[in-house]
Amino acid sequence: MSKFKGLESYAAEDSAYELLPFKFDRFNDESYIITNIVGEYLLIEHEDLEALVHRKLDVTSRLYCQLRSKHFIRLPKEKSPIELLALKLRTKLSRLSQFTNLHIFVVTLRCDHSCPYCQVSRQSEDKSSFDMTRDMADKSLDFVFRSPSPAIKIEFQGGEPLLNFELIKYIVESAESRNRVAARDLAFVIATTLSLINDEILDFCKLHKIQISTSLDGPEALHNSNRPKPNKDSHQRFVAGLEKARARLGYDQISALMTTTELSLDKVKEIIDEYLRLGFKGVFLRPLSPYGFAIKTKRFMAYNTERWLQFYKSGLDYIIELNRNGVEFSEYYSSLILKKILSAQESGYVDLMSPAGIGIAAIVFNYDGKVYASDESRMLAEMGDRTFELGNILSDSYEDIILSDKLLDALEESFTLSAPMCSECAFEPYCGSEPVYHHAIHKDFLGRKPESEFCKKNMSIFKHLISLMESSSDTKKLFLGWANR
Amino acid sequence: MSKSELTLKFDERVYSVETIQKAAYRFINKFTVDFELIDRDILCHIIFDSEHSDSQLQKLKADFKKEILDQHLRQLIAKETETVRNLILSATFLNTGLQKIE
Amino acid sequence: MSSNPNLPQVLRADKAFIAKLKTIPKGFAHYITFESFVDEVAFSEGESFTVLPDEFNYLNDEDIVRITPNKEHIRVLYRKKATNNTIMITEQCNHYCLMCSQPPKNQDDSYLLSEAFNLIKLIPKNTKEIGFSGGEPTLFGERFLELLEFTKSHLPQTGIHILSNGRAFKDIRFAKRYANINHFDMMVGIPIYSSNPSIHDYIVQSAGALDETLAGVLNLKRLNQKVEIRVVIHKQSIEGLLDLCEFIGRNLLFVDHVALMGLEMMGFTRANLDSLWIDPYEYKDILSDAVSILNSYKLTTSVYNHQLCTVNKDILPFYRKSISDWKNEFAPECDGCKSANDCGGFFSSSLQHRYSDHIKAL
């Protein structure tokens, strides 16, 4: 008679389990996906789902083990599943207590480019009526330092913000002097095409540790046709500027974003190769957003979500292949989603937040003194939809703006946990509410989800990423790395 | 091409109107549903947005029925897990001190 | 004990001298020599001495041994040159692990704890780290915490590593008392063998163990205490190892270290060998994946108690030569291996009882 008891003695009571909150949806023709409140997932057969709910699971099966360790079920006595779920949920929600940390200053609307899909810019380089004034900048900084967030990021946008570099200098220096008392974790970013970068600007960036966020749409021909300039030298100036900026500020201080136009759709490999060639570690495959000129010029409608998804998926395939061949490279939109799927962390990406990231994660001070809930909100306003215009920095107080009904209504209505369909969607933990997008298309904050392209796009991506991981352990490993960067 | 209307009958003792409504919402881009309550029967008059072939209609009908089953299961789960869900939420918001741990 | 013949007289009174030469310095409290030296050493009248078997020949300056008055038992308590010195403070345990290397005895052994207090006083002040193990050291409750405080006072520069199943810390008052010791470098190493409670509980032979252990880990981290998760790999834990690593990544991302450990052939392991043994060579790919998962989550990870020829190359950055130096031995198959210097080698118990069939010179 052994002194040791068999496994069955420790599993005896197991069929008396209790369900923990979870949601499910059809994943594909064969299987269902179940997700718990912190986004852990499992793919299971329909009969297993029924068995799970009706207490008919085989307690010795691997599925049963997984359900327990991923916190879909617990034994009634167990306390740690509750504690761990609460802990993870708190980590995920912690950004709410951080409040606004991204403050976008649109220092000018003027631009040296005339991109057809651009939401917000004016070609005229000399009209100072499109510039933010020092008075507005001061008032905006008052606002910035009212934010309770311990970390403050100030991003300069345009137009081409470097066309109003004097004001950038003024804002950076004023913010730094205020911060000597406020003592926040203060950071600056300039979003620029790099076409106007020069030594004076770089010296200033170096001195004040300003990062550069720039735009690269692909190889020369594509980039130049997406981003027309009178001399057709956008790409050339980009490459020169990039080299200069990297040499002066450090290789990792410059990041790039791309925008997908109709011309990009069959060139995803070339686009990625261009990012590789120029030494970037990853690419953000971004669809055109339905704002501003993008809609006016019909560019947005020139391709549908389905076509964009094809573009995205073949790009992702290529990137996975690159990694398989030993080239480290990632896709950033996937990384943001994978962080939500595979870790207890939140990415803090404005588009994928619930309640919406507007106002909370970011706020925009426009060149004309208007304050918007997000970058997309001001683009919407440029089209005439002023739903997300929160006030005017010259005349309204911090409280007026941050507690404005417009913001609170949008936030409340966009809370996915209470939205029709979203509230019971298994992908809800990975998704966001994007009220600005839905207002642009559907004229309400939520949109009708079965018709929403936002919903379609994200659901497809969630499913695609999960399918890739489930079908290859190498891909799963790669994705784990992306999720935790 | 076949008719673009269809009526389905459900027993109120098995499915709630809410369950069927929730299922119907998911098909809002394909059809709308009018409800009629007669005794213990829930009659769903389905009006399709566009013309469909017979096989397409059968497929949509089957999908809708499957969705109702799913909604029913969802409600079971939601009801059963409500207490523990509140337990988790209160633990999430009441406990302090762990935020610092990353 | 001392091997320094020039030690000032005033320091000799409470030390034993390791005598290996004919002329021995006067004035030590005791003398220790070894069987093969005993004829050479000339002791004077009145000097007390002990002759130890030659296998203790490795004993050196500042080592500490315990010899019973009748000289029938000798135990080496502290070795200056060892990288880690672990003090066993009890043989009692509330677990009964299938692979326990120190099978628990259910009897009052509080004398071990008293000895530990005495030992702490003798340990050199510049010792980097000492360990406390059992049995389950926290079973002494308050007395155990007193030992930690005592150690902090006597060895203020010494790190403390505690091997515990962590269940005692589920009591937040106990955890708080522990945290209040406020040691600059004190860590609890807590074993978790599976993310599936049934399997973990089976391996440690105690129902409800994992739930309490996790509660303990959470309390310790709430109080900002250092915690290490230790996973012993064997036939019962290998199947769920990757699930466990993901579990740690998602739930316990805040732990300070994760150690994946090979099996030691001591105690119960030998009795349960059939249900525990799996050749490390057979699980080397799983081990690689496990390390890869933990590393993806940016958890500090180490692989202990493995031989270099049984692991894949991708393990190397995480590979530690963990087997204590006086246990570090090699198999006949290792002859001529160029990597022996970098290899942890074997526990002598493994060489005696069971080790991988795939050991070869690299």
Side-chain angles (χ1 to χ4, degrees), chain C residues 217-325:
Chain C
V217 171
L218 288 182
N219 277 345
L220 285 167
K221 290 312 300 180
R222 269 187 191 111
L223 297 162
N224 280 319
Q225 299 304 299
K226 288 188 189 164
V227 172
E228 169 190 69
I229 301 293
R230 297 164 78 89
V231 187
V232 178
I233 304 173
H234 49 62
K235 207 196 260 179
Q236 302 301 324
S237 61
I238 190 74
E239 199 187 331
L241 184 64
L242 300 184
D243 285 345
L244 174 60
C245 292
E246 273 192 48
F247 177 86
I248 295 172
R250 287 201 78 124
N251 293 282
L252 306 174
L253 196 56
F254 39 73
V255 299
D256 301 272
H257 185 218
V258 181
L260 303 175
M261 314 175 38
L263 194 59
E264 197 175 350
M265 289 297 141
M266 298 270 284
F268 287 156
T269 304
R270 275 150 58 196
N272 292 317
L273 200 59
D274 284 347
S275 49
L276 292 174
W277 174 255
I278 174 171
D279 195 313
Y281 191 82
E282 276 174 43
Y283 68 66
K284 64 185 168 69
D285 293 339
I286 299 180
L287 183 64
S288 290
D289 285 350
V291 167
S292 154
I293 291 171
L294 294 169
N295 188 46
S296 287
Y297 281 107
K298 298 201 166 64
L299 284 153
T300 311
T301 304
S302 301
V303 173
Y304 289 162
N305 307 352
H306 283 76
Q307 296 77 41
L308 281 176
C309 50
T310 63
V311 298
N312 293 325
K313 277 212 171 63
D314 54 10
I315 294 294
L316 296 183
F318 309 92
Y319 182 89
R320 311 278 177 260
K321 275 177 70 175
S322 52
I323 298 170
S324 323
D325 53 0

Side-chain angles (χ1 to χ4, degrees), chain A residues 228-485:
Chain A
K229 267 175 58 69
N231 299 329
K232 297 188 170 48
D233 60 352
S234 180
H235 186 269
Q236 194 189 330
R237 295 183 78 119
F238 170 83
V239 174
L242 178 68
E243 197 172 319
K244 227 174 176 170
R246 278 175 170 167
R248 189 78 185 97
L249 304 180
Y251 212 78
D252 55 347
Q253 296 301 297
I254 295 97
S255 60
L257 282 173
M258 63 84 57
T259 301
T260 313
T261 63
E262 200 183 355
L263 290 170
S264 322
L265 289 173
D266 54 359
K267 297 194 180 62
V268 72
K269 195 164 169 288
E270 289 87 336
I271 294 168
I272 292 164
D273 280 343
E274 183 69 357
Y275 271 76
L276 268 178
R277 186 180 74 84
L278 292 172
F280 288 101
K281 284 283 175 209
V283 66
F284 198 135
L285 297 176
R286 265 195 335 167
L288 266 186
S289 45
Y291 310 111
F293 286 119
I295 273 184
K296 277 192 202 155
T297 58
K298 301 283 180 224
R299 284 281 174 149
F300 173 64
M301 294 304 172
Y303 60 87
N304 60 23
T305 302
E306 215 56 68
R307 184 66 189 90
W308 184 81
L309 283 166
Q310 260 178 35
F311 166 85
Y312 164 82
K313 287 177 185 174
S314 58
L316 195 57
D317 282 347
Y318 181 53
I319 291 171
I320 291 170
E321 189 193 318
L322 286 174
N323 281 279
R324 207 156 281 157
N325 294 326
V327 180
E328 255 186 62
F329 195 82
S330 48
E331 199 286 305
Y332 295 133
Y333 191 61
S334 310
S335 302
L336 293 169
I337 291 167
L338 288 165
K339 188 179 267 310
K340 288 162 161 265
I341 299 180
L342 294 172
S343 84
Q345 313 296 305
E346 262 301 304
S347 59
Y349 182 61
V350 185
D351 291 5
L352 290 174
M353 283 186 179
S354 170
I358 54 166
I360 294 186
I363 199 146
V364 180
F365 306 103
N366 208 16
Y367 72 97
D368 56 1
K370 303 257 173 60
V371 181
Y372 293 105
S374 70
D375 202 23
E376 289 75 18
S377 309
R378 67 143 169 155
M379 297 172 183
L380 207 59
E382 292 292 330
M383 297 168 55
D385 181 346
R386 295 174 55 193
T387 311
F388 299 92
E389 190 181 302
L390 304 179
N392 192 307
I393 200 68
L394 297 176
S395 51
D396 298 325
S397 72
Y398 178 82
E399 287 77 11
D400 288 342
I401 291 170
I402 211 73
L403 298 175
S404 79
D405 289 344
K406 281 182 175 178
L407 182 56
L408 296 181
D409 286 353
L411 285 176
E412 191 184 327
E413 288 192 34
S414 67
F415 198 35
T416 50
L417 283 172
S418 61
M421 239 173 106
C422 294
S423 61
E424 63 210 19
C425 175
F427 298 98
E428 186 273 331
Y430 312 142
C431 205
S433 51
E434 260 276 65
V436 187
Y437 174 97
H438 286 115
H439 209 271
I441 302 294
H442 301 279
K443 298 295 167 217
D444 72 45
F445 297 125
L446 284 165
R448 304 208 297 178
K449 290 290 150 31
E451 295 170 346
S452 160
E453 297 285 309
F454 175 84
C455 179
K456 187 171 168 185
K457 179 185 91 178
N458 282 316
M459 294 273 262
S460 303
I461 294 176
F462 301 147
K463 286 185 180 176
H464 188 63
L465 292 172
I466 290 171
S467 303
L468 288 173
M469 279 193 280
E470 292 291 319
S471 58
S472 154
S473 60
D474 281 347
T475 306
K476 170 96 187 262
K477 263 192 235 174
L478 176 67
F479 282 4
L480 260 180
W482 290 5
N484 289 288
R485 263 177 330 135

Side-chain angles (χ1 to χ4, degrees), chain B residues 8-101:
Chain B
L8 294 175
K9 194 170 82 175
F10 298 96
D11 189 328
E12 201 186 34
R13 286 166 298 190
V14 184
Y15 299 112
S16 70
V17 175
E18 193 197 348
T19 304
I20 304 170
Q21 273 174 331
K22 282 194 165 185
Y25 186 82
R26 294 201 167 208
F27 291 86
I28 205 167
N29 57 339
K30 299 201 172 75
F31 55 72
T32 51
V33 182
D34 289 338
F35 290 87
E36 192 181 350
L37 298 172
I38 298 176
D39 296 330
R40 283 180 160 166
D41 288 334
I42 304 168
L43 294 181
C44 300
H45 304 293
I46 301 174
I47 303 127
F48 294 94
D49 291 358
S50 53
E51 293 282 302
H52 291 285
S53 69
D54 262 350
S55 63
Q56 283 171 325
L57 279 182
Q58 286 311 313
K59 172 91 168 64
L60 275 173
K61 195 170 107 182
D63 282 348
F64 182 45
K65 284 184 158 174
K66 237 196 243 172
E67 187 57 45
I68 291 171
L69 282 173
D70 284 351
Q71 287 296 347
H72 185 66
L73 200 57
R74 283 191 182 101
Q75 279 175 328
L76 277 184
I77 296 166
K79 206 170 139 203
E80 195 189 318
T81 57
E82 197 185 332
T83 315
V84 70
R85 180 189 190 83
N86 289 334
L87 205 61
I88 296 165
L89 290 177
S90 65
T92 304
F93 294 111
L94 292 181
N95 277 9
T96 48
L98 266 169
Q99 281 100 328
K100 283 178 221 135
I101 296 169

